[in-house]
Amino acid sequence: MIIFSGVQPSGELTLGNYLGAIRQFVDLQNRGAAAYYSVVDLHATTVEHDPRRLAEYTRMVAKLYVASGIDPERSVIFVQSHVPAHSELAWILMCLARTGELNRMTQFKEKGRGSESVAVGLYTYPVLMAADILLYRTTHVPVGEDQKQHLELTRDLAERFNRTYGETFVLPEPLIPDVGARIMALDDPTKKMSKSNPNPNSRIGLLDPPELIERKIMRAVTDSEGTVRYAPEEKPGISNLLAILSLSTGIPIAELERRYAGVGYGAFKKDVAQAVVEALRPIQAAYAALSDDAIERVLADGAERARAVAEATLAEVKARFGYLPSTKATKGAGKTRPTESGF
């Protein structure tokens, strides 16, 4: 099994990023997968951003990867823009993608809603995401439900290339957890918890201090029923808090429903807050112990390892596509391939 996934450095990472993605990254690594985990900074620039903060957030995401348990000895941790093959393959795939396919991408519609015009990068970024995945012969991609459509496009582009130019790409499969794939906002549990939400009370930051975590959870939107039960359609707020508590403690939701039968929302929220504080405590301690120099060494090594694999794939793609290889590309192609591990 070969894994690729990435997180955008577009803000301070949230509890949703951890429970919905990063914790699964660690689990897959620990189960023996060959894993490539990128800080996808190219994706972070498809919308307006602060250049002064981009490098800061990029370093922060990389540190949180390591602090959360991703081992740079076992997994490849790197910055997307440090591997030029991502952009090169994206261009080739853009020449295969169709406007009708990109017009159907729901995230483009949501992010571009209300604007007369949007950046072309926002329109084409699902193709860059496809390049990210296909470069590493990825077999499985941990994704939330909101990204499943992009993975389907990735498979379509891979199939189209294979059919036209010869078998080259692996068709990746999605890995979607049953609970926690989409942690919702505390102020509006019908929307995903997002680091870009302008309301800081909508999310729990991975580096939030305990008192702030408790205050935010105590203010979380619930309902007037007064019963702690999991019913996402009827009770999105309580259901979201139950999912957070379950993922933070490892206790199944059904068991939590039994434990909190007859318990008021106030006591329930306090327990959720305490569980989150305890779950984040070791991550925050490990983050504080990581120096900038240490993480930059991790990223330099990760980029070198990622480039070896990505450039080999890209050389094969370019040859099949008809591009004349350069002397450097010819000499370097095929030296390193990922070793697939199963579990």
Side-chain angles (χ1 to χ4, degrees):
M1 177 177 283
I2 300 174
I3 302 295
F4 177 89
S5 197
V7 173
Q8 289 189 36
S10 53
E12 297 182 9
L13 295 192
T14 71
L15 184 67
N17 295 125
Y18 175 65
L19 295 179
I22 296 174
R23 201 171 75 161
Q24 190 180 11
F25 298 173
V26 176
D27 180 58
L28 289 165
Q29 165 196 269
N30 293 342
R31 291 163 59 193
Y36 298 85
Y37 296 131
S38 182
V39 185
V40 287
D41 55 341
L42 299 179
H43 289 297
T45 58
T46 59
V47 295
E48 187 176 348
H49 70 285
D50 182 349
R52 295 170 300 179
R53 302 299 297 275
L54 182 59
E56 175 189 339
Y57 286 141
T58 299
R59 192 177 293 109
M60 178 186 291
V61 172
K63 279 187 177 183
L64 284 168
Y65 275 172
V66 176
S68 298
I70 298 177
D71 182 352
E73 295 296 322
R74 289 188 286 167
S75 298
V76 180
I77 302 172
F78 68 101
V79 176
Q80 183 187 29
S81 65
H82 294 177
V83 183
H86 286 254
S87 300
E88 285 196 67
L89 182 57
W91 172 254
I92 293 171
L93 296 179
M94 274 188 250
C95 294
L96 297 178
R98 303 291 181 259
T99 56
E101 293 171 316
L102 299 185
N103 288 340
R104 289 193 292 272
M105 297 293 109
T106 56
Q107 284 214 341
F108 166 71
K109 293 177 183 177
E110 291 171 3
K111 291 184 178 180
R113 185 175 292 127
S115 301
E116 291 185 7
S117 65
V118 296
V120 173
L122 181 62
Y123 184 65
T124 59
Y125 99 91
V127 183
L128 176 58
M129 181 183 292
D132 298 338
I133 294 165
L134 297 175
L135 274 173
Y136 300 96
R137 317 282 179 170
T138 303
T139 62
H140 293 81
V141 183
V143 291
E145 286 287 351
D146 57 326
Q147 294 289 343
K148 190 175 179 182
Q149 185 187 41
H150 293 157
L151 188 58
E152 290 168 355
L153 175 66
T154 300
R155 289 174 56 89
D156 289 343
L157 293 174
E159 284 184 316
R160 192 171 300 155
F161 188 96
N162 290 351
R163 186 169 60 249
T164 307
Y165 301 102
E167 288 294 323
T168 307
F169 293 123
V170 174
L171 302 187
E173 298 289 342
L175 287 174
I176 303 175
D178 294 333
V179 176
R182 207 174 193 205
I183 298 299
M184 312 307 284
L186 300 178
D187 64 332
D188 182 354
T190 64
K191 296 179 180 178
K192 183 179 178 180
M193 185 179 287
S194 170
K195 54 186 177 292
S196 59
N197 190 319
N199 179 9
N201 291 317
S202 68
R203 59 186 177 271
I204 302 296
L206 292 188
L207 300 177
D208 281 352
E211 62 275 11
L212 182 57
I213 291 172
E214 181 173 1
R215 185 160 68 247
K216 287 180 177 180
I217 289 180
M218 294 306 293
R219 293 176 178 175
V221 170
T222 53
D223 55 62
S224 58
E225 184 186 74
T227 303
V228 178
R229 62 186 179 91
Y230 190 76
E233 295 298 323
E234 302 170 46
K235 299 168 66 65
I238 287 295
S239 299
N240 189 44
L241 293 176
L242 273 168
I244 289 171
L245 182 57
S246 176
L247 290 165
S248 298
T249 61
I251 301 171
I253 285 178
E255 173 61 24
L256 291 173
E257 287 178 311
R258 287 191 289 272
R259 290 189 187 188
Y260 288 95
V263 175
Y265 286 173
F268 169 65
K269 284 182 171 182
K270 283 185 178 180
D271 287 353
V272 175
Q274 187 59 37
V276 171
V277 167
E278 292 306 316
L280 296 186
R281 193 184 303 281
I283 295 172
Q284 293 179 354
Y287 181 91
L290 272 171
S291 69
D292 288 352
D293 286 346
I295 205 64
E296 285 172 9
R297 287 193 295 271
V298 166
L299 292 175
D301 177 69
E304 184 177 353
R305 293 161 66 194
R307 278 194 296 266
V309 176
E311 288 174 6
T313 302
L314 182 63
E316 181 178 342
V317 170
K318 290 167 78 172
R320 290 183 183 276
F321 206 55
Y323 292 140
L324 180 67
S326 70
T327 303
K328 180 181 177 182
T330 303
K331 287 181 178 178
K335 284 187 178 180
T336 307
R337 286 292 179 86
T339 302
E340 181 171 346
S341 355
F343 56 79

